[in-house]
Amino acid sequence: MPFMTLIIHGWSDQGESFTNLKAFLSTNGFPADSIYYGDWLSREDNITYNDVCAALNYELYKRGFIDDRGNGLVDLNVIVHSTGGLIIRHWISQYYFHMDDETTLARELKRCPVKNIVMLAPANFGSPLAEMGKSWIGGIIKGTHQPDLNFFSTGRQILNGLELGSEYQWVLAHRDLIRIYPYFSSAGIQTTVLVGTTGYGGVAGFFADKPGSDGTVIISGCNLNSVKFSLVPPPLFDKNDNKSGWQYVQPPLEVAFCTFSGLNHRTIIDTANTGSFILNALSAGTGPNREVAFKEMMRTLDAQTAKVYASGEAKQYQQFIVHVQDEDEIAIKDFTLEFLVIRKSGFGALVDGGKSIDDMEQSASLQFQDLMGHDVNSYSQNASFRSFLVDVDAAKDIFAKADRNFKEEAIPAFRVYVPEVDDLITYDLKPLHIVALDASIPGNIQGTNVDHVKPDFLYPNTTTLMEINVRRISTNTAWVSTIPTKHA
């Protein structure tokens, strides 16, 4: 089948910003008539991601990229910038790969036209500027200025999904990333992520530049190589078990990722900077030995990224998205996490209540709490979702120092606090008294790929999903008795 290329822009942008990219591709072996712009309305308040993807699906059908049943009629390269990453991921998950099994994976990889994706600073896990975009300032600067559209609208539904720690990102990640049989892989849809490590600087940088960002998106939120951990309470009637345990999925995703010093969210699309990398990514996915070629490119990009951080020009961050809910999956919006540094040898005694945190543990815990709480964002539409941006090297330094002071291994842990609803409804917090973030404690973690879990839970330049399930207690709201109750 013929190869076509689709370029999808981000929020508040247009295809016109990528004419140089099309010209670059057309002079490097891609016929101009095979390169299309995927334009979409990003600043209309009532438009949702579902709306955009439904319209995109119809356009691809009209252009002959897919048939009326969604079967690919061409092989498709997709190049996205910023929010365009969410658009293509949403479209693929909406129309393909609904089931997570080996048979579905093989069938849908044949049906789906997308073979290669190059993501330029994608907003896969949000932007710290999304809240500003919804403000009146955002309406003036970035809002729609066309009289035939909603004047000054900024795309509120789209920006809600772009917020750090948004529920939309959580749901989408469970559709396309947290899978037993992933489709982003060297043998499937080959995906390459390129992002700069430098902010805008100047006046723009004063408002936009945030630690760990390229001026617009969180660098660790660009990567798709995510892990999910779920904290599950012990069985209800198990009186011998008073601690929660981790269940998790660590999918073996193969996503190429590369950072560039000196580039920001705008300059990452300049082909003078990243053009050769885009060509390499597309060519790796089209040759006869595409799996081998892609894996080799992954190693090359890993080495490039290592050089960027070895130079000391940028710090490596990890983003945690935490979601707290009860056992019926009802959101718990009022909660507090207290992060701790404890002696590994004393974990069991802390859980059993036979030991308290000592002064040295308390001192290290205060440093860890300050680090974890330095950059926290609650999702404006549902506070049960929160994002934590963490300096990975700073976290490692805290634990290295604690190891020396304790003269034994220090491990990360946390406590969960949830206030009672009222006199009748409360939460069982005993299993959450001390929760260790350590895979080397026997029985602490159960799930797939146990051997691949890193004990310290630190994964630089990635987003980690953490789901905390809390048991809701309402034992005084029903009775079973041989004697009936009477009306008051």
Side-chain angles (χ1 to χ4, degrees):
M1 287 191 287
F3 254 104
M4 312 296 281
T5 301
L6 181 67
I7 302 171
I8 303 177
H9 63 76
W11 174 77
S12 80
D13 208 349
Q14 298 290 336
E16 184 181 21
S17 299
F18 299 87
T19 54
N20 288 340
L21 175 57
K22 177 172 180 175
F24 172 81
L25 293 173
S26 65
T27 58
N28 283 276
F30 294 79
D33 59 0
S34 71
I35 305 171
Y36 288 76
Y37 299 107
D39 275 307
W40 57 286
L41 292 177
S42 65
R43 294 178 291 176
E44 283 293 289
D45 285 343
N46 295 323
I47 289 178
T48 68
Y49 288 93
N50 279 333
D51 294 328
V52 173
C53 290
L56 174 64
N57 192 65
Y58 183 58
E59 285 295 309
L60 294 179
Y61 165 69
K62 287 199 305 182
R63 292 290 180 180
F65 288 10
I66 57 176
D67 65 18
D68 58 355
R69 295 188 177 183
N71 299 304
L73 302 178
V74 302
D75 288 332
L76 192 60
N77 295 316
V78 181
I79 303 174
V80 300
H81 180 235
S82 198
T83 315
L86 291 172
I87 297 300
I88 194 60
R89 287 175 54 207
H90 188 122
W91 179 76
I92 292 171
S93 68
Q94 182 78 9
Y95 294 97
Y96 305 91
F97 305 102
H98 293 156
M99 304 296 291
D100 186 12
D101 58 71
E102 197 168 9
T103 301
T104 299
L105 176 67
R107 182 187 68 241
E108 297 300 271
L109 283 176
K110 291 181 180 179
R111 284 203 332 117
C112 181
V114 179
K115 307 305 177 186
N116 310 299
I117 304 176
V118 178
M119 295 184 165
L120 305 175
N124 287 317
F125 287 100
S127 167
L129 302 185
E131 277 277 17
M132 185 183 299
K134 291 188 291 183
S135 69
W136 65 271
I137 296 176
I140 293 173
I141 298 175
K142 289 288 190 176
T144 301
H145 298 158
Q146 298 168 259
D148 57 327
L149 298 175
N150 292 325
F151 211 54
F152 285 162
S153 69
T154 59
R156 183 165 294 273
Q157 304 289 339
I158 300 298
L159 289 171
N160 283 342
L162 270 178
E163 276 190 47
L164 294 178
S166 80
E167 186 172 3
Y168 170 75
Q169 296 161 28
W170 180 274
V171 172
L172 181 58
H174 281 74
R175 284 164 53 175
D176 69 345
L177 303 183
I178 310 302
R179 300 172 61 91
I180 302 301
Y181 296 94
Y183 49 83
F184 294 121
S185 67
S186 61
I189 300 175
Q190 295 186 351
T191 305
T192 303
V193 176
L194 310 177
V195 59
T197 62
T198 307
Y200 298 122
V203 176
F206 178 79
F207 293 99
D209 291 349
K210 305 291 183 183
S213 81
D214 69 347
T216 295
V217 297
I218 297 295
I219 297 167
S220 55
C222 294
N223 205 340
L224 292 179
N225 202 8
S226 296
V227 177
K228 189 221 177 156
F229 294 88
S230 295
L231 188 62
V232 181
L236 179 59
F237 300 111
D238 188 349
K239 297 180 180 179
N240 298 317
D241 192 351
N242 64 345
K243 73 172 185 176
S244 296
W246 291 105
Q247 295 177 353
Y248 72 98
V249 177
Q250 182 179 348
L253 286 184
E254 295 174 314
V255 176
F257 178 81
C258 190
T259 57
F260 298 82
S261 60
L263 299 186
N264 60 40
H265 197 69
R266 295 173 186 151
T267 56
I268 194 72
I269 70 174
D270 188 345
T271 55
N273 299 318
T274 54
S276 62
F277 292 87
I278 295 172
L279 293 177
N280 288 341
L282 296 180
S283 62
T286 57
N289 299 314
R290 66 191 301 264
E291 290 184 55
V292 175
F294 187 76
K295 289 179 179 179
E296 178 59 33
M297 185 189 69
M298 285 179 63
R299 288 189 287 269
T300 300
L301 296 186
D302 285 344
Q304 158 80 10
T305 298
K307 287 182 180 179
V308 169
Y309 291 107
S311 69
E313 295 179 15
K315 294 181 178 181
Q316 297 188 87
Y317 287 82
Q318 178 177 359
Q319 181 178 215
F320 292 86
I321 298 181
V322 177
H323 174 48
V324 180
Q325 62 181 15
D326 69 18
E327 291 179 295
D328 293 322
E329 299 185 356
I330 298 174
I332 298 177
K333 300 178 182 180
D334 186 3
F335 69 90
T336 302
L337 300 182
E338 179 188 2
F339 294 94
L340 305 167
V341 179
I342 60 177
R343 302 171 191 270
K344 184 174 181 179
S345 63
F347 171 69
L350 284 172
V351 171
D352 296 335
K355 175 184 179 296
S356 299
I357 293 176
D358 62 36
D359 290 342
M360 294 178 67
E361 290 173 319
Q362 182 66 24
S363 177
S365 296
L366 289 174
Q367 296 178 53
F368 190 37
Q369 178 70 30
D370 182 63
L371 179 68
M372 294 297 295
H374 181 71
D375 195 344
V376 182
N377 290 272
S378 293
Y379 177 44
S380 67
Q381 308 300 302
N382 185 346
S384 69
F385 292 92
R386 298 180 194 173
S387 70
F388 297 75
L389 190 64
V390 182
D391 182 330
V392 172
D393 290 332
K396 289 181 178 179
D397 287 345
I398 288 173
F399 285 93
K401 181 180 178 181
D403 286 345
R404 295 192 298 270
N405 291 339
F406 295 172
K407 294 183 172 54
E408 63 172 286
E409 185 179 352
I411 61 173
F414 66 87
R415 289 172 171 153
V416 182
Y417 298 94
V418 182
E420 63 182 22
V421 177
D422 54 34
D423 291 340
L424 295 175
I425 307 296
T426 186
Y427 296 95
D428 181 11
L429 300 182
K430 290 181 181 179
L432 303 171
H433 171 61
I434 294 287
V435 180
L437 290 166
D438 192 300
S440 63
I441 294 177
N444 191 39
I445 295 185
Q446 302 172 352
T448 55
N449 300 328
V450 172
D451 293 338
H452 298 153
V453 176
K454 298 181 180 180
D456 59 5
F457 275 54
L458 295 176
Y459 301 82
N461 293 322
T462 64
T463 293
T464 299
L465 308 182
M466 295 179 63
E467 182 178 85
I468 300 175
N469 294 276
V470 184
R471 180 177 294 120
R472 182 179 170 114
I473 303 295
S474 57
T475 54
N476 295 322
T477 57
W479 301 266
V480 174
S481 174
T482 58
I483 301 174
T485 58
K486 299 179 180 180
H487 289 289

